[in-house]
Amino acid sequence: QVQLVESGGGSVQAGGSLRLSCAASGRTFSTYAMGWFRQAPGKEREFVAAISWSGRSTTYADSVKGRFTISRDNAKNTVYLQMNSLRPEDTAAYYCAQARGRGDVLIITPGGYNYWGQGTQVTVSS
């Protein structure tokens, strides 16, 4: 059974930074791509960033490109999301997810992931 546990959320003012972490257990972390998604109240879950199993490839939503950075440490079974220059519109619950299949393909749709964390809340005030 795969478990993903996010941490690092909180409340910050616009322009501030947060670093989210997602600790994984249950299957070989290093062979699966990972992703971050977010969901604001009344909105659908949306893609934020994804990283390949090796960490060599990443992709981002246009709305966070240049401000957020996804990374991973396979020795620690952990994926990170560094969020800088935060905006009020970044306010949401943030979820990490593990891809369905092994490989290096980066997937930006929720259907491509079959394990999800419980989410961590990020609130950005203006």
Side-chain angles (χ1 to χ4, degrees), residues 51-75:
I51 188 167
S52 62
W53 68 265
S54 64
R56 286 192 289 266
S57 298
T58 59
T59 190
Y60 299 90
D62 288 344
S63 59
V64 307
K65 202 171 293 183
R67 300 187 297 122
F68 290 12
T69 302
I70 188 171
S71 61
R72 66 190 295 162
D73 185 338
N74 286 342

Side-chain angles (χ1 to χ4, degrees), residues 73-114:
D73 185 338
N74 286 342
K76 295 182 178 179
N77 287 359
T78 302
V79 62
Y80 305 96
L81 186 68
Q82 178 66 45
M83 306 186 295
N84 298 329
S85 302
L86 283 161
R87 305 167 180 169
E89 54 263 40
D90 295 318
T91 295
Y94 283 71
Y95 300 87
C96 71
Q98 191 172 74
R100 289 184 179 277
R102 294 178 176 177
D104 239 9
V105 176
L106 297 176
I107 302 168
I108 65 171
T109 55
Y113 298 82
N114 57 345

